[in-house]
DNA sequence: GCTGGCATGTAACAAGTTACATGATTTT
DNA sequence: AAAATCATGTAACTTGTTACATGCCAGC
């Protein structure tokens, strides 16, 4: 009977990207329903993070269970009842930790952290952008090495097309990172 | 006993991206083991599509079950036994259909189709790139509209940073698409 | 003696998709 | 009369990750 073999109490573990995204929206926009969150997400962060309905409705109860969000039922007469979700103190604490965590190579998480940059101190954001630069530099070096070995004939021709796109994009990202570092420094002193 | 309630015979359905990627590698590099496929993927297509071991080993039997791949067991003396997978006629047929299918907005699938461009006729590839251009143009228009409403103050400052990146990237993608169309036309007459 | 390569998998998740299900109200 | 909005979910998948499990052989 290998029953109680570690149900894994990961409540103290780091947040997943999805959890962090939802908590950040709750922190910024206040108490909301799943429906509100979906609309808000589509209207702003949607380009970076667009959860499916079913996914969002699955995450919200998990947040409550983990103690990072609380639920409040609003009974309505002419509309279906609402479940309003708000972030808890524990949620804010866990979110801050997540926002300050530097994850090398995690581009999507970086974009998300920058999107909700208003929740972090400027120096934290500068460190994230520096890490992004390093990650992109590494990628760029790899792409250039592969491109040098590319013959441009047969299947290699198509790999060459995509490598060009990857290299150009990486160079663009580096320029963007420099500009953004400068703008952030100017804007925050 | 709700037993045989639609086991869903999706054998005639379109391939998933993962299935198409594996079949394309089998079509290009010939009969291989899961181990070989993982190495090959990491060494080339890995920038676009990098399956986890567990995922690949899950997909391969599915392909056999669907009739798009066949398995051949190689008994080895000094090494663990191998399962070699090869693409079937039906697999080639389904792969061709997938390669010719235009999926608006599916950027990852587009990159994959271009990566294995050697398996398609040039006119099919040109059509895919045209669709890519249209998709990026749509995105660009959206980003520009959002950017015009951006105040650059408070949370909007960070959205502005990311919008700049998105816009610059979209413009770059358009230039790349034009160049690639020209190069392809030149290379294939 | 240890590391790395060869070779195949399972388990347990998290992320994300489409389709299904319900039902009232408000706008076109 | 039809479509969109409000509001919450379930079901069934595919995708993708990390960790676990096994075991032999070659080279340092």
């Amino acid at each position: 009977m290998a029953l109680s073999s570690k149900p894994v109490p990961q409540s103290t573990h780091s947040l997943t990207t999805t959890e962090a995204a939802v908590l950040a929206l709750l922190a910024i926009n206040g108490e909301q329903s799943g429906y509100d969150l979906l609309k808000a997400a589509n209207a702003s962060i949607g380009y970076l993070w667009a959860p499916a309905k079913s996914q969002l409705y699955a995450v919200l109860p998990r947040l409550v269970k983990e103690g990072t969000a609380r639920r409040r039922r609003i009974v309505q007469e002419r509309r279906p009842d609402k479940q309003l979700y708000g972030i808890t103190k524990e949620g804010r604490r866990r979110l801050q930790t997540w926002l300050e965590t530097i994850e090398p190579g995690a581009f999507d998480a970086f974009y998300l952290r920058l999107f909700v940059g208003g929740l972090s101190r400027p120096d934290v954001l500068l460190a994230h952008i520096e890490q992004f630069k390093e990650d992109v530099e590494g990628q760029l070096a790899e792409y250039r090495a592969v491109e040098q070995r590319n013959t441009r004939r047969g299947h290699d021709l198509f790999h060459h097309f995509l490598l060009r796109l990857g290299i150009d994009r990486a160079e663009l990202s580096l320029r963007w990172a420099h500009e953004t570092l400068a703008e952030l420094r100017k804007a925050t002193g």
Side-chain angles (χ1 to χ4, degrees), chain A:
Chain A
M1 269 176 276
L3 278 182
S4 59
S5 59
K6 303 285 161 52
V8 188
Q10 62 189 148
S11 291
T12 46
H13 278 50
S14 170
L15 297 169
T16 68
T17 308
T18 313
E19 292 171 336
V22 172
L23 288 178
L25 286 182
L26 292 181
I28 291 175
N29 300 321
E31 214 182 25
Q32 290 161 87
S33 67
Y35 191 85
D36 296 332
L37 277 164
L38 275 174
K39 266 192 312 173
N42 284 336
S44 64
I45 203 173
Y47 307 102
L48 299 175
W49 174 79
K53 236 196 307 191
S54 53
Q55 202 194 339
L56 184 61
Y57 281 120
V59 169
L60 288 171
R62 204 168 77 206
L63 293 177
V64 173
K65 212 172 58 188
E66 287 173 358
T68 50
R70 76 171 67 82
R71 183 185 354 224
R72 198 158 63 94
R73 163 167 264 118
I74 303 291
V75 180
Q76 300 183 117
E77 278 173 26
R78 349 198 107 228
R79 295 275 173 214
D81 290 0
K82 274 188 195 203
Q83 318 274 341
L84 288 189
Y85 293 88
I87 189 169
T88 62
K89 278 224 175 99
E90 172 67 7
R92 278 179 202 281
R93 202 187 56 70
R94 298 271 297 278
L95 178 59
Q96 274 310 313
T97 302
W98 185 85
L99 287 171
E100 288 168 18
T101 302
I102 286 182
E103 287 181 78
F107 293 106
D108 287 351
F110 163 70
Y111 298 139
L112 182 56
R113 285 183 175 103
L114 185 58
F115 188 89
V116 297
L119 296 172
S120 294
R121 291 194 320 272
D123 62 293
V124 171
L125 294 176
L126 293 176
H128 280 304
I129 299 175
E130 292 287 359
Q131 180 64 53
F132 175 72
K133 260 181 57 185
E134 273 178 50
D135 292 340
V136 174
E137 274 161 9
Q139 239 187 22
L140 184 54
E142 242 187 300
Y143 289 171
R144 282 187 173 140
V146 176
E147 171 73 336
Q148 282 211 323
R149 285 180 255 122
N150 188 282
T151 65
R152 302 199 189 186
R153 267 173 296 120
H155 289 295
D156 257 16
L157 176 63
F158 304 102
H159 302 179
H160 161 70
F161 291 152
L162 288 164
L163 277 167
R164 277 286 6 135
L165 180 59
I167 289 170
D168 290 353
R169 244 186 219 183
E171 290 172 342
L172 176 87
S173 296
L174 288 182
R175 286 195 298 275
W176 172 85
H178 281 120
E179 289 164 19
T180 304
L181 280 172
E183 277 193 63
L184 239 192
R185 287 204 184 98
K186 207 176 58 182
T188 62

